[in-house]
Each structure stands twice: as C-alpha cells, then as structure tokens.
Amino acid sequence: MHAAAARYGTWVAYGGAARLALGIVLLAAAGGAAWLGTRPHGPFRTVRPRRATVVVMVAAWVFAIAAFLAGGSLYVRQALRAHLAQAPPADPITPVTVIGVGAVFLVILIASTHGWRVRLASAAIGALAAPMIFELPFDLIVMARTYPPIPPDPALYRALFFVPLFLVELTTLALLTLSPMARPSTAAFLFFASMLFVFAIWAFLGFGYPSAPAPFALNVLSKILAFLTVLSLFLPVRGAERR
C-alpha cells in the first residue's frame, strides 16, 4: 500500500535518506536566499540590457518554447508507443496557478503610477515569471523521479522534456530585466527564502504528489509565496529597502 501511494501522480515521492538530504539542502538554500536579501548593501543591482541583448533574449525565449514543444511531443509519442500513456491524475493545483497568474497581472497593472504601456508590459512579464519562480526549483526536485519512466532510455526522454523546460523557465525569468519597474528587494529575497523553507517542510514529508491534504497545502502555500516574490520585485514595499 505504501509503494502504491508513493507512486500516485506524475513523480515518485522521496523516502528515507533521500527525503532527509533534500530537506537539508532546501533549508540551506532558504538560509542563503534570506542572507542575500538582508545584506547591508543588497544582493545585486539591476542592469538593463541593451537593445541587441533584448533581441537575443526574446529570440532565446521563443526558441526555448519551440524546443520544449518539440521535446514534449517526442516524450508523449514514445510514451504512447510504449503503452505507458495514461489518464492524468487529478490536478487540484492548476486552478490555483491560473488564479495567481491573473492576480499578479492585475495587481502590477493597477497598483503602479507608471505609464500604461510600461504597466501593461510589466504586468505581462510578471505574470509569465511568477509561476517560473516556483517551477524552476520544483522541476529540479522531481525531474529524476518522474513516473512512469519511458523506455528504452528513461534518462534520455527526461532530458528531452526537462532540458528545454529549464530553458523556458530561465529565459522567462531573464525577461524580468526588461521591465523598468522590476527591482531586486529585500522582500523578494525573503519571500523566495520562505518558499524554499516550505519546500523543505514538503521534502521532509517526502515531497509527494499533492493528492493528500498536507502536500496540497504546502504546494499551494509555496506557489503563493512565489507569486509574492514576483510582486515584491515590481511594487514598492513599505519598510523594505529597494536595491
């Protein structure tokens, strides 16, 4: 019964020493992010890219999306050939993500004094980046444990799916530098550290699929903290120093 429960969903839960090691690594990462945010001189300063760099960044983002669609298509086709395709498990998280993305877009669009073009572009960038704050560390955690493994080479098919996905996530986050509204802040680093701390709690419980109440609650809470991380990059936070 325990093995069946651990394999429910799209990845295999952590157990034993792996669960403990993951939790410790995430706690250390959360501490590092909090330390960066509270340094007296700030973690870093924003450098706006030049026009040529912007063109390269947008082209890289489009290429990453195309590569992900191609790799994902190969992954699904091989799963069908191997008769491993199955109905996806219940997904209670997508509505939370959609609502959060919409809320990020509207808050950035409305709660700013910049011109409407800057607000609209920044709201779109913020809405795209918000889920990536969550997804990048999440995908690193579950990548090697996706289920079922795709024969004849599970590692190859995981790479076909996840390498382009990581490129999408990284290039999307890089778009944050295009907005004149986005600035690193102490609050952003503390929210991100809080998200990693929630990940650590989830890891100590096995980082299981969010079908049970505890993983579901931790998934939702960490996603909300990811959205707050992005919002605190765009909106002034009273009492928090802007870098």
Side-chain angles (χ1 to χ4, degrees):
M1 179 66 71
H2 175 73
R7 290 180 179 272
Y8 177 79
T10 55
W11 71 88
V12 179
Y14 282 76
R19 178 173 61 182
L20 180 62
L22 177 63
I24 292 172
V25 168
L26 287 166
L27 282 178
W35 175 78
L36 282 174
T38 54
R39 288 177 62 193
H41 301 295
F44 57 85
R45 297 186 182 278
T46 304
V47 177
R48 300 298 170 202
R50 297 184 178 182
R51 186 179 298 274
T53 306
V54 171
V55 172
V56 172
M57 289 172 60
V58 174
W61 179 63
V62 173
F63 170 79
I65 293 173
F68 173 67
L69 293 175
S73 176
L74 290 172
Y75 185 95
V76 170
R77 277 189 279 178
Q78 182 60 20
L80 290 171
R81 289 194 195 101
H83 305 289
L84 292 173
Q86 53 189 356
D91 179 10
I93 297 300
T94 296
V96 176
T97 305
V98 173
I99 292 170
V101 167
V104 167
F105 180 87
L106 289 175
V107 170
I108 295 174
L109 184 66
I110 295 171
S112 173
T113 57
H114 287 74
W116 72 267
R117 290 186 180 86
V118 172
R119 285 188 287 120
L120 182 60
S122 296
I125 290 171
L128 288 170
M132 302 305 171
I133 296 286
F134 171 95
E135 290 294 338
L136 183 57
F138 172 85
D139 288 336
L140 286 169
I141 292 169
V142 304
M143 175 179 64
R145 307 179 74 86
T146 51
Y147 180 81
I150 307 299
D153 190 340
L156 172 63
Y157 284 99
R158 284 190 180 111
L160 281 173
F161 183 85
F162 280 102
V163 170
L165 179 57
F166 289 137
L167 290 176
V168 171
E169 291 163 352
L170 290 170
T171 54
T172 302
L173 290 173
L175 296 179
L176 288 168
T177 62
L178 304 184
S179 171
M181 290 176 58
R183 294 286 190 281
S185 68
T186 296
F189 277 81
L190 294 181
F191 278 130
F192 182 68
S194 299
M195 187 197 80
L196 294 178
F197 180 76
V198 174
F199 269 26
I201 297 173
W202 190 2
F204 286 127
L205 296 177
F207 213 86
Y209 190 83
S211 55
F216 173 80
L218 293 168
N219 189 310
V220 170
L221 178 57
S222 56
K223 192 156 287 188
I224 290 171
L225 289 167
F227 295 152
L228 290 174
T229 300
V230 167
L231 283 176
S232 61
L233 293 173
F234 284 90
L235 303 177
V237 178
R238 183 172 296 177
E241 180 185 356
R242 306 291 286 182
R243 308 299 186 193

